Amino acid sequence: MKIVIGSLFILSLSSGLVEELAAAINVYAKIRSEAVLPCEWADSSVRWYGIGDHQYSTGTSILQGLPISLRQRLRIINDNGFNLGIRDIHKDDEGNYKCISDNGTINYNLYLIVAPSSISFPSSSDENVIKADSNKMFNVTCKADGGFPPPELSLMLNETLLSNSKTRTLAYDINLTRTDDFTNVTCTANHSELNHPLEIQAMFYLNLPPTQLTMMELPTLFEAKPVNISCISLGSRPQASSEWSIDGDVISNSSEDQSEIIKPTETYIITSILSFEFNRLQNRKELSCRSFNLADTKGISQSRMLEIYYHPSIQITYMNTTEDEEIRKFTCKPNGNPAVYEYDEWEHFSMHNQFIRRIKGRKTDTGANEVILPVTNSFERYQDSGIYICRAQNDIADRYGNKMQNGFASFISEGNPAAASENVHSNKGRLGDDTILIVKFVSKPAPTHVFWFKIDDVGDILINSSKKYTKVITPAIIEDSFHGQLIHVDGYIISLFIRNLEVIDFSKYNCEVHNRYGNISVTVELVQTTELKNMRDGEWKTAGIVLITIVGLVIVVTAALCIYNKRK
């Protein structure tokens, strides 16, 4: 059998020579057949060259130096030129050939006509399974190994033809859906050298996104009380992952997933369990469960609105006042869920946590509780200072089991200084002894000036510090009566230390205390006695405080003078 398939020549005349400018001539032959490579020139200058650019002939003679196995299969056919015949074609004969003469050169490509040895799906596994994502475009490709000319390849999905073409690689883009899972794709190769077509099948095994997601109905939720909430995902392969979030803030580190594979679909049921303690800041926000895998990274989600019950936190709004302001109002504003509150009476305590009084409040239209302090004389309004407590509950207990919750307000009423109720207006002393006159004041704000006067027939005489007199003001916790209750308050002990008493010292003394609102004075009488004074416990304590203060001042002043002298 001789087969020659066409050629194209482009000839041009240059310098009197004919030069071949054409592409090579393609010659096709079957194995064991004879191929004839035509050369139009018939003269002694014709030479044939074959595989590896080895010379095969000169004129009509085959070179004797060739291997005998090759030489016996070659011949020159003198038929309209010196044509090269190759009998019993082998695989090794495939390649490039040239006919060279004084007239020029003709190139040839010898191709063997062979069937493909096999076909395959490059994307399939050894088990002929093709893994792909559903709901996405997938390029299914069939490749033929060898074959010349190329075989006719066909792709079929079940019984539907997808594509066919004469090629060694056939590709087709297909949008795979869940219905294509477990379906077969078939590739068929037809070729003239095949007695029967080659055929291969592969099964689509798809990555499937979850198809259904169900979040359980939420139980009654209480702040800081642990609760388990589940979310069930169906239909995923590979198994889906779960993500929990509240208004977009991920809280998945508090969840655990349990999986179960379902036959025969080989898909998964995923149960995600969220163990969590909710707080009031998450009330009325959305709790979301999302299920996703590599087939659908966005996934599907379900949300439920959170209704979290919590005990009230209590805020009290108020303003500090002065003694000139009659209205002193406090508003108690609980914040809880449900927003339905019961209130106890307001309570007034000292800054040192001593009970003073109870005051009944009223419920406002907004559900808050408001109290306006009873109006008193302006010089008594400093007694309104202290801690005010509002107690409210909405029937929801805190983590310690307490339903009633407290709110606190530390209120200060500023004004003129006020003399404490525990002041003693008479003091005894003996001639030649030292003594201390003591008065106690409450002052908000702090005193700015303190003056001592000796009351004389000719008028009040201002007392200045000297060897005879020492004046001391000491912040201290003193006793005073607030709205009929004797309590401890932050006040001041103002002392006048008088040395070496003389007859002239036994008189009345006036202590005058100033702050930025005004002043007040207290009169103390120093009475002469011949008996030793027996101080009460409270007086000894007061005297001790004053003496310690005096000693401290002396030490500080002495140290300051030493430092000053050293620097000089």
Side-chain angles (χ1 to χ4, degrees):
M1 178 179 180
K2 300 177 183 178
I3 300 176
V4 178
I5 299 179
S7 61
L8 174 64
F9 292 94
I10 300 176
L11 303 178
S12 68
L13 189 60
S14 176
S15 303
L17 296 175
V18 175
E19 182 179 357
E20 181 186 285
L21 302 177
I25 298 172
N26 292 334
V27 179
Y28 302 90
K30 295 182 179 180
I31 290 180
R32 303 301 180 187
S33 68
E34 182 179 12
V36 177
L37 282 64
C39 182
E40 62 186 49
W41 302 306
D43 60 70
S44 60
S45 67
V46 173
R47 301 180 305 278
W48 278 97
Y49 290 82
I51 302 302
D53 208 26
H54 294 296
Q55 185 176 350
Y56 282 1
S57 69
T58 298
T60 59
S61 300
I62 301 299
L63 296 182
Q64 293 300 307
L66 294 174
I68 190 170
S69 60
L70 175 59
R71 188 177 71 247
Q72 290 177 347
R73 295 189 297 112
L74 299 177
R75 64 175 177 148
I76 300 299
I77 303 171
N78 189 355
D79 183 8
N80 295 322
F82 289 174
N83 306 317
L84 177 64
I86 307 173
R87 292 185 296 268
D88 192 19
I89 289 291
H90 295 167
K91 177 66 175 175
D92 294 338
D93 296 327
E94 190 172 45
N96 300 322
Y97 293 80
K98 290 187 292 186
C99 176
I100 300 176
S101 77
D102 294 342
N103 299 300
T105 300
I106 303 175
N107 293 302
Y108 302 85
N109 293 323
L110 177 60
Y111 295 104
L112 297 184
I113 300 174
V114 292
S117 59
S118 64
I119 54 176
S120 64
F121 290 112
S123 56
S124 70
S125 66
D126 293 339
E127 295 79 18
N128 288 333
V129 172
I130 298 176
K131 291 188 176 181
D133 295 337
S134 67
N135 302 320
K136 293 181 181 178
M137 295 300 295
F138 180 76
N139 181 271
V140 56
T141 301
C142 177
K143 283 191 174 183
D145 184 12
F148 194 87
E152 181 176 0
L153 297 180
S154 300
L155 277 174
M156 296 187 70
L157 183 64
N158 290 337
E159 301 300 323
T160 302
L161 178 65
L162 301 178
S163 179
N164 68 323
S165 180
K166 288 186 176 181
T167 179
R168 291 187 183 88
T169 301
L170 181 61
Y172 185 80
D173 289 332
I174 181 172
N175 186 18
L176 296 170
T177 65
R178 186 175 286 265
T179 57
D180 296 316
D181 191 34
F182 291 122
T183 59
N184 291 322
V185 60
T186 303
C187 179
T188 303
N190 283 289
H191 195 275
S192 61
E193 298 303 301
L194 290 172
N195 294 325
H196 302 285
L198 298 177
E199 184 176 286
I200 187 173
Q201 278 191 344
M203 181 187 73
F204 282 121
Y205 190 75
L206 301 183
N207 296 320
L208 304 172
T211 56
Q212 182 179 341
L213 186 65
T214 304
M215 188 192 301
M216 66 174 283
E217 293 292 333
L218 298 181
T220 303
L221 302 176
F222 296 94
E223 183 179 41
K225 184 177 180 180
V227 66
N228 290 336
I229 301 172
S230 64
C231 189
I232 300 176
S233 164
L234 302 178
S236 64
R237 185 203 302 142
Q239 66 183 58
S241 298
S242 302
E243 180 184 87
W244 292 85
S245 62
I246 297 177
D247 269 12
D249 294 329
V250 177
I251 55 172
S252 294
N253 56 347
S254 302
S255 66
E256 178 183 349
D257 289 355
Q258 301 171 355
S259 63
E260 177 184 356
I261 192 166
I262 303 301
K263 301 291 186 178
T265 61
E266 296 185 15
T267 56
Y268 287 86
I269 293 179
I270 307 297
T271 302
S272 181
I273 301 174
L274 175 69
S275 299
F276 202 69
E277 292 184 13
F278 294 96
N279 62 60
R280 63 189 61 205
L281 297 179
Q282 295 156 344
N283 188 42
R284 308 306 298 167
K285 292 185 177 181
E286 277 197 346
L287 174 67
S288 299
C289 175
R290 182 169 76 97
S291 181
F292 62 96
N293 64 5
L294 57 85
D296 182 6
T297 55
K298 183 179 179 181
I300 55 177
S301 62
Q302 189 173 27
S303 301
R304 296 196 186 279
M305 184 69 70
L306 292 171
E307 185 71 28
I308 302 168
Y309 293 96
Y310 51 92
H311 65 274
S313 59
I314 297 178
Q315 178 188 14
I316 298 177
T317 58
Y318 68 99
M319 292 182 63
N320 291 328
T321 62
T322 68
E323 63 183 24
D324 297 327
E325 298 172 83
E326 288 188 357
I327 303 301
R328 289 123 185 272
K329 183 170 70 173
F330 299 80
T331 303
C332 180
K333 297 178 179 180
N335 176 22
N337 188 29
V340 179
Y341 309 107
E342 292 182 5
Y343 296 90
D344 279 355
E345 286 186 317
W346 288 76
E347 291 183 337
H348 180 196
F349 281 76
S350 74
M351 294 296 186
H352 295 277
N353 202 32
Q354 293 170 295
F355 175 78
I356 297 175
R357 56 180 170 164
R358 288 187 176 88
I359 310 170
K360 189 172 181 61
R362 73 172 189 90
K363 203 168 186 178
T364 66
D365 294 338
T366 62
N369 191 274
E370 182 182 271
V371 66
I372 298 176
L373 300 184
V375 178
T376 58
N377 295 322
S378 61
F379 60 85
E380 294 178 330
R381 289 175 188 162
Y382 79 96
Q383 297 177 17
D384 290 340
S385 295
I387 297 171
Y388 287 82
I389 300 175
C390 170
R391 292 187 171 90
Q393 60 105 353
N394 63 352
D395 205 36
I396 304 297
D398 60 20
R399 65 171 66 239
Y400 306 107
N402 301 316
K403 290 185 177 180
M404 190 63 70
Q405 304 298 314
N406 303 327
F408 302 88
S410 181
F411 173 73
I412 295 175
S413 176
E414 293 189 342
N416 289 320
S421 59
E422 67 168 331
N423 276 313
V424 178
H425 297 279
S426 178
N427 194 13
K428 294 179 181 181
R430 294 192 309 168
L431 284 172
D433 285 353
D434 298 340
T435 193
I436 300 175
L437 301 182
I438 294 173
V439 292
K440 299 176 182 179
F441 284 89
V442 176
S443 179
K444 292 288 184 181
T448 55
H449 299 90
V450 175
F451 302 100
W452 280 94
F453 297 91
K454 180 180 179 184
I455 301 174
D456 202 296
D457 293 338
V458 296
D460 294 348
I461 301 172
L462 177 64
I463 298 175
N464 294 313
S465 294
S466 63
K467 292 182 179 181
K468 178 76 173 178
Y469 301 104
T470 299
K471 297 181 292 183
V472 178
I473 178 169
T474 307
I477 297 174
I478 62 176
E479 285 188 335
D480 197 5
S481 178
F482 274 33
H483 300 290
Q485 296 288 334
L486 192 63
I487 61 169
H488 292 115
V489 296
D490 294 321
Y492 299 88
I493 298 174
I494 300 172
S495 310
L496 178 63
F497 190 82
I498 307 174
R499 298 173 183 83
N500 193 18
L501 289 176
E502 304 173 36
V503 174
I504 195 174
D505 294 325
F506 296 100
S507 178
K508 290 183 179 180
Y509 293 81
N510 196 31
C511 179
E512 188 174 284
V513 181
H514 294 247
N515 66 16
R516 70 169 182 262
Y517 289 100
N519 63 85
I520 192 172
S521 62
V522 173
T523 300
V524 180
E525 184 176 8
L526 179 58
V527 179
Q528 184 178 356
T529 181
T530 58
E531 298 178 357
L532 289 174
K533 182 178 180 182
N534 293 320
M535 289 188 174
R536 293 170 298 183
D537 290 342
E539 292 173 331
W540 278 113
K541 290 179 182 177
T542 301
I545 292 171
V546 173
L547 288 173
I548 290 170
T549 303
I550 293 172
V551 171
L553 287 172
V554 171
I555 293 172
V556 170
V557 171
T558 303
L561 288 172
C562 290
I563 293 171
Y564 176 75
N565 290 329
K566 285 183 179 180
R567 288 183 176 177
K568 287 180 66 178

